[in-house]
Amino acid sequence: QAMSSVRRCLCQGPRLNMVRPQNIDKVEIYPASAYCENVEIIVTLKKDAGQKCLKPESKFAQNYIKRAIQKRSLQ
Amino acid sequence: QAMSSVRRCLCQGPRLNMVRPQNIDKVEIYPASAYCENVEIIVTLKKDAGQKCLKPESKFAQNYIKRAIQKRSLQ
């Protein structure tokens, strides 16, 4: 996953449709901005397995993020 | 905003209901984990204005994140 130093789009190259939820340590969402017209979703994996870019429009990304932020409010 | 070094909950103290969307550079979502039973949402603000913790259950957090991830798929 090439991360450019100058702040253009962080996700270069192919993006994943999904990753195993249990491997996810953190999800970063970069809203569309002057630097990059796309929303970018970068997942940091547990056990220093690095970072992956997710397709924002993938069903997995949409559902996973919605469930993650609602989980706290359901308790 | 106190960030603990040992990986417990990152958000200590009061969390915000909302921040100005135009000030948001990045949103980090930490799913509930063995380290911290709460979902944590940390917003990095533009112009080096630092980081703030959001209440995951706030209407703003829910709507902002949903809109941010759908924005790409609407184009």
Coordinates of all heavy atoms in Angstrom, one line a residue, chain B residues 4-62:
Chain B
S4 N -3.8 8.0 27.3 CA -2.9 7.2 28.2 C -1.9 6.4 27.3 O -2.2 6.1 26.2 CB -3.9 6.2 28.9 OG -4.5 5.4 27.9
S5 N -0.7 6.2 27.9 CA 0.3 5.5 27.1 C 0.0 4.0 27.1 O -0.1 3.4 26.0 CB 1.7 5.7 27.8 OG 1.6 5.2 29.1
V6 N -0.2 3.4 28.3 CA -0.6 2.0 28.3 C -2.0 1.9 27.6 O -2.8 2.8 27.8 CB -0.7 1.4 29.7 CG1 -1.4 0.1 29.7 CG2 0.6 1.4 30.4
R7 N -2.2 0.9 26.7 CA -3.3 0.9 25.8 C -4.6 0.6 26.6 O -5.1 -0.5 26.7 CB -3.1 -0.1 24.7 CG -4.2 -0.1 23.7 CD -4.3 1.1 22.9 NE -5.6 1.1 22.2 CZ -5.8 0.4 21.1 NH1 -4.8 -0.3 20.5 NH2 -7.0 0.4 20.5
R8 N -5.1 1.6 27.4 CA -6.4 1.5 27.9 C -7.3 2.3 27.1 O -7.0 2.5 25.9 CB -6.5 1.9 29.4 CG -6.1 0.8 30.4 CD -6.0 1.3 31.8 NE -4.7 1.8 32.1 CZ -4.4 3.1 32.2 NH1 -5.3 4.0 32.0 NH2 -3.2 3.5 32.5
C9 N -8.4 2.8 27.6 CA -9.3 3.7 26.8 C -8.5 5.0 26.5 O -7.8 5.5 27.3 CB -10.6 4.0 27.5 SG -11.7 2.6 27.7
L10 N -8.6 5.4 25.2 CA -7.8 6.6 24.8 C -8.5 7.8 25.3 O -7.9 8.8 25.5 CB -7.6 6.5 23.3 CG -6.8 5.4 22.7 CD1 -7.0 5.3 21.2 CD2 -5.4 5.5 23.1
C11 N -9.8 7.8 25.3 CA -10.6 9.0 25.6 C -10.8 9.0 27.1 O -11.6 8.2 27.7 CB -11.9 9.0 24.9 SG -11.6 9.2 23.1
Q12 N -10.2 9.9 27.8 CA -10.4 10.1 29.2 C -11.1 11.5 29.3 O -10.9 12.4 28.6 CB -9.1 10.2 29.9 CG -8.1 9.1 29.6 CD -8.4 7.8 30.2 OE1 -9.1 7.7 31.2 NE2 -7.8 6.7 29.7
G13 N -12.0 11.6 30.3 CA -12.7 12.9 30.5 C -13.8 13.1 29.5 O -14.2 12.2 28.8
P14 N -14.3 14.4 29.6 CA -15.5 14.7 28.8 C -15.3 14.5 27.3 O -14.2 14.8 26.8 CB -15.8 16.2 29.1 CG -14.5 16.7 29.6 CD -13.8 15.6 30.2
R15 N -16.3 14.0 26.6 CA -16.3 13.9 25.2 C -17.3 14.8 24.5 O -18.3 15.1 25.1 CB -16.6 12.4 24.8 CG -15.4 11.5 25.2 CD -15.8 10.1 25.2 NE -17.0 9.9 26.0 CZ -17.7 8.7 26.0 NH1 -17.4 7.8 25.2 NH2 -18.8 8.6 26.8
L16 N -17.0 15.2 23.3 CA -17.9 16.3 22.7 C -19.0 15.6 22.0 O -19.0 14.5 21.5 CB -17.0 17.1 21.7 CG -15.8 17.8 22.2 CD1 -15.1 18.5 21.0 CD2 -16.2 18.8 23.3
N17 N -20.2 16.4 21.9 CA -21.3 15.9 21.1 C -21.0 16.1 19.7 O -21.4 15.4 18.8 CB -22.6 16.7 21.5 CG -23.2 16.0 22.7 OD1 -23.4 14.8 22.7 ND2 -23.5 16.8 23.8
M18 N -20.4 17.2 19.3 CA -20.1 17.5 17.9 C -18.9 18.5 17.8 O -18.4 19.1 18.7 CB -21.3 18.2 17.3 CG -21.6 19.6 17.7 SD -22.8 20.4 16.5 CE -21.7 20.5 15.1
V19 N -18.4 18.5 16.5 CA -17.4 19.5 16.1 C -17.8 20.0 14.8 O -18.6 19.4 14.1 CB -15.9 18.9 16.0 CG1 -15.4 18.5 17.4 CG2 -15.9 17.8 15.0
R20 N -17.2 21.1 14.4 CA -17.6 21.7 13.1 C -17.0 20.8 12.0 O -15.8 20.6 11.9 CB -17.0 23.1 12.9 CG -17.7 24.2 13.7 CD -17.0 25.5 13.4 NE -17.5 26.5 14.2 CZ -18.7 27.1 14.0 NH1 -19.4 26.8 12.9 NH2 -19.2 28.1 14.8
P21 N -17.9 20.2 11.1 CA -17.5 19.3 10.1 C -16.3 19.8 9.2 O -15.4 19.1 8.9 CB -18.7 19.0 9.2 CG -19.9 19.3 10.1 CD -19.4 20.4 11.1
Q22 N -16.4 21.1 8.9 CA -15.3 21.7 8.0 C -14.0 21.7 8.7 O -12.9 21.9 8.1 CB -15.7 23.1 7.5 CG -15.9 24.1 8.6 CD -17.4 24.1 9.0 OE1 -18.0 23.1 9.3 NE2 -18.0 25.3 9.1
N23 N -14.0 21.5 10.1 CA -12.7 21.5 10.8 C -12.1 20.1 10.9 O -11.0 19.9 11.4 CB -12.8 22.0 12.2 CG -13.2 23.5 12.1 OD1 -13.0 24.2 11.1 ND2 -13.7 24.0 13.2
I24 N -12.8 19.1 10.4 CA -12.4 17.7 10.5 C -11.4 17.3 9.4 O -11.8 17.3 8.3 CB -13.6 16.8 10.6 CG1 -14.5 17.0 11.8 CG2 -13.1 15.3 10.6 CD1 -15.7 16.2 11.9
D25 N -10.2 16.8 9.9 CA -9.3 16.3 8.9 C -9.4 14.8 8.8 O -9.3 14.2 7.7 CB -7.9 16.7 9.4 CG -6.8 16.3 8.4 OD1 -7.1 16.5 7.2 OD2 -5.7 15.8 8.8
K26 N -9.6 14.2 9.9 CA -9.7 12.7 9.9 C -10.5 12.2 11.1 O -10.6 12.9 12.1 CB -8.2 12.2 10.1 CG -8.1 10.7 10.4 CD -6.6 10.3 10.4 CE -5.9 10.6 11.6 NZ -4.6 9.8 11.6
V27 N -11.2 11.1 11.0 CA -11.9 10.5 12.0 C -11.3 9.1 12.3 O -11.2 8.3 11.3 CB -13.4 10.3 11.7 CG1 -14.2 9.6 12.8 CG2 -14.0 11.7 11.3
E28 N -11.0 8.8 13.5 CA -10.5 7.5 13.9 C -11.6 6.8 14.7 O -12.1 7.3 15.7 CB -9.2 7.5 14.7 CG -8.0 8.0 13.9 CD -6.8 8.3 14.7 OE1 -6.8 9.4 15.3 OE2 -5.9 7.4 14.8
I29 N -11.9 5.5 14.4 CA -12.8 4.7 15.1 C -12.1 3.5 15.7 O -11.4 2.8 15.0 CB -14.0 4.2 14.2 CG1 -14.7 5.4 13.6 CG2 -14.9 3.4 15.1 CD1 -15.7 5.0 12.6
Y30 N -12.1 3.5 17.0 CA -11.4 2.3 17.7 C -12.6 1.4 18.2 O -13.3 1.8 19.1 CB -10.6 2.8 18.9 CG -9.4 3.5 18.5 CD1 -9.4 4.9 18.3 CD2 -8.1 2.8 18.4 CE1 -8.2 5.5 17.9 CE2 -7.0 3.5 18.0 CZ -7.0 4.9 17.8 OH -5.9 5.5 17.4
P31 N -12.8 0.3 17.6 CA -13.9 -0.6 18.0 C -13.6 -1.0 19.5 O -12.5 -1.0 19.9 CB -13.8 -1.8 17.1 CG -12.7 -1.5 16.1 CD -12.0 -0.3 16.5
A32 N -14.7 -1.4 20.2 CA -14.5 -2.0 21.5 C -13.6 -3.1 21.4 O -13.5 -3.9 20.5 CB -15.9 -2.4 22.0
S33 N -12.7 -3.2 22.4 CA -11.7 -4.3 22.4 C -11.4 -4.8 23.8 O -12.0 -4.3 24.8 CB -10.4 -3.6 21.8 OG -9.9 -2.7 22.7
A34 N -10.4 -5.6 23.9 CA -10.0 -6.1 25.2 C -9.4 -5.0 26.0 O -9.4 -5.0 27.2 CB -8.9 -7.2 25.0
Y35 N -8.8 -4.0 25.4 CA -8.2 -2.9 26.1 C -9.2 -1.9 26.6 O -9.1 -1.3 27.7 CB -7.3 -2.1 25.1 CG -6.2 -3.0 24.5 CD1 -6.3 -3.2 23.1 CD2 -5.2 -3.5 25.2 CE1 -5.3 -4.0 22.5 CE2 -4.2 -4.3 24.6 CZ -4.3 -4.6 23.3 OH -3.4 -5.3 22.7
C36 N -10.3 -1.7 25.8 CA -11.3 -0.7 26.2 C -12.7 -1.2 25.7 O -12.9 -1.4 24.5 CB -10.9 0.6 25.5 SG -12.2 1.9 25.8
E37 N -13.6 -1.2 26.7 CA -14.9 -1.8 26.3 C -15.8 -0.8 25.5 O -16.8 -1.2 24.9 CB -15.7 -2.2 27.6 CG -15.9 -1.0 28.5 CD -16.8 -1.4 29.7 OE1 -17.1 -2.6 29.8 OE2 -17.2 -0.5 30.4
N38 N -15.3 0.4 25.4 CA -16.1 1.4 24.6 C -15.6 1.5 23.2 O -14.4 1.4 23.0 CB -16.0 2.8 25.3 CG -16.4 2.7 26.8 OD1 -17.3 2.0 27.2 ND2 -15.6 3.5 27.5
V39 N -16.5 1.8 22.3 CA -16.0 2.3 21.0 C -15.5 3.7 21.3 O -16.1 4.4 22.1 CB -17.3 2.4 20.0 CG1 -16.8 3.0 18.7 CG2 -17.9 1.0 19.8
E40 N -14.4 4.0 20.6 CA -13.9 5.4 20.8 C -13.8 6.0 19.4 O -13.3 5.4 18.5 CB -12.6 5.3 21.5 CG -12.7 4.7 22.9 CD -11.5 4.9 23.7 OE1 -10.5 4.3 23.5 OE2 -11.5 5.8 24.7
I41 N -14.2 7.3 19.4 CA -14.2 8.1 18.1 C -13.3 9.3 18.4 O -13.7 10.1 19.2 CB -15.6 8.4 17.6 CG1 -16.4 7.2 17.3 CG2 -15.4 9.3 16.3 CD1 -17.8 7.4 16.8
I42 N -12.2 9.4 17.7 CA -11.3 10.5 17.9 C -11.2 11.3 16.6 O -10.9 10.7 15.5 CB -9.9 10.0 18.3 CG1 -10.0 9.2 19.6 CG2 -8.9 11.1 18.5 CD1 -8.8 8.6 20.1
V43 N -11.4 12.6 16.7 CA -11.4 13.4 15.5 C -10.1 14.2 15.5 O -9.8 14.8 16.5 CB -12.6 14.4 15.5 CG1 -12.5 15.4 14.5 CG2 -13.9 13.6 15.4
T44 N -9.4 14.2 14.4 CA -8.2 15.1 14.2 C -8.7 16.3 13.5 O -9.3 16.2 12.4 CB -7.1 14.3 13.5 OG1 -6.8 13.1 14.2 CG2 -5.9 15.2 13.3
L45 N -8.4 17.4 14.1 CA -8.8 18.7 13.5 C -7.8 19.3 12.5 O -6.6 19.0 12.7 CB -9.2 19.7 14.6 CG -10.3 19.2 15.6 CD1 -10.4 20.2 16.8 CD2 -11.6 19.1 14.9
K46 N -8.3 20.0 11.6 CA -7.3 20.7 10.6 C -6.5 21.8 11.3 O -6.8 22.1 12.4 CB -8.2 21.3 9.5 CG -8.9 20.3 8.6 CD -9.7 21.0 7.5 CE -10.4 20.0 6.7 NZ -11.5 20.6 5.8
K47 N -5.5 22.2 10.6 CA -4.6 23.3 11.0 C -4.0 23.0 12.4 O -4.0 23.9 13.3 CB -5.4 24.6 11.0 CG -5.9 25.0 9.7 CD -6.7 26.3 9.7 CE -7.3 26.6 8.4 NZ -8.8 26.8 8.5
D48 N -3.6 21.7 12.6 CA -3.0 21.3 13.8 C -3.7 21.8 15.1 O -3.1 22.2 16.1 CB -1.5 21.9 13.9 CG -0.7 21.3 12.7 OD1 -1.0 20.2 12.3 OD2 0.2 22.0 12.2
A49 N -5.0 21.7 15.0 CA -5.8 22.1 16.1 C -6.0 21.0 17.1 O -6.8 21.0 18.0 CB -7.2 22.7 15.7
G50 N -5.3 19.9 16.9 CA -5.3 18.8 17.9 C -6.4 17.8 17.6 O -7.1 17.7 16.6
Q51 N -6.7 16.9 18.7 CA -7.6 15.8 18.6 C -8.7 16.0 19.6 O -8.4 16.5 20.7 CB -6.9 14.5 18.8 CG -5.9 14.2 17.7 CD -5.4 12.8 17.8 OE1 -4.9 12.4 18.9 NE2 -5.4 12.0 16.7
K52 N -9.9 15.6 19.3 CA -11.0 15.6 20.3 C -11.7 14.2 20.3 O -11.8 13.6 19.2 CB -12.0 16.7 19.9 CG -11.5 18.1 19.8 CD -11.3 18.7 21.2 CE -10.8 20.1 21.1 NZ -10.2 20.6 22.4
C53 N -12.2 13.8 21.4 CA -13.0 12.6 21.5 C -14.5 13.0 21.3 O -15.0 14.0 21.8 CB -12.8 11.9 22.8 SG -11.2 11.1 22.9
L54 N -15.2 12.2 20.5 CA -16.6 12.4 20.2 C -17.4 11.4 21.0 O -16.9 10.2 21.1 CB -16.9 12.3 18.7 CG -16.7 13.5 17.8 CD1 -17.2 13.1 16.4 CD2 -17.4 14.7 18.3
K55 N -18.6 11.7 21.4 CA -19.5 10.7 22.0 C -20.0 9.8 20.8 O -20.7 10.3 19.9 CB -20.7 11.4 22.6 CG -20.4 11.9 24.0 CD -21.7 12.4 24.7 CE -21.4 13.1 25.9 NZ -22.3 14.2 26.2
P56 N -19.7 8.5 20.8 CA -20.1 7.7 19.7 C -21.6 7.7 19.5 O -22.1 7.6 18.4 CB -19.6 6.3 20.1 CG -18.5 6.5 21.1 CD -18.9 7.8 21.8
E57 N -22.3 7.9 20.6 CA -23.8 7.8 20.4 C -24.4 9.2 20.0 O -25.6 9.3 19.9 CB -24.4 7.3 21.7 CG -24.3 8.2 22.9 CD -22.9 8.1 23.7 OE1 -22.0 7.5 23.1 OE2 -22.8 8.7 24.8
S58 N -23.6 10.2 19.9 CA -24.2 11.5 19.6 C -24.7 11.5 18.2 O -24.1 10.8 17.3 CB -23.1 12.6 19.7 OG -22.3 12.6 18.6
K59 N -25.8 12.2 18.0 CA -26.5 12.2 16.6 C -25.4 12.7 15.6 O -25.3 12.1 14.5 CB -27.6 13.2 16.7 CG -28.9 12.6 17.1 CD -29.8 12.2 15.9 CE -30.9 11.2 16.3 NZ -30.4 9.9 16.7
F60 N -24.6 13.7 16.0 CA -23.7 14.2 15.1 C -22.7 13.1 14.6 O -22.5 13.0 13.4 CB -22.9 15.4 15.7 CG -21.7 15.8 14.8 CD1 -21.9 16.7 13.8 CD2 -20.4 15.4 15.1 CE1 -20.9 17.1 12.9 CE2 -19.4 15.8 14.3 CZ -19.6 16.6 13.2
A61 N -22.1 12.4 15.6 CA -21.1 11.4 15.2 C -21.8 10.3 14.2 O -21.2 10.0 13.2 CB -20.6 10.7 16.4
Q62 N -22.9 9.9 14.6 CA -23.6 8.9 13.8 C -23.8 9.4 12.4 O -23.5 8.8 11.4 CB -25.0 8.5 14.4 CG -24.8 8.0 15.9 CD -24.6 6.5 15.9 OE1 -25.1 5.8 15.1 NE2 -23.9 6.0 16.9

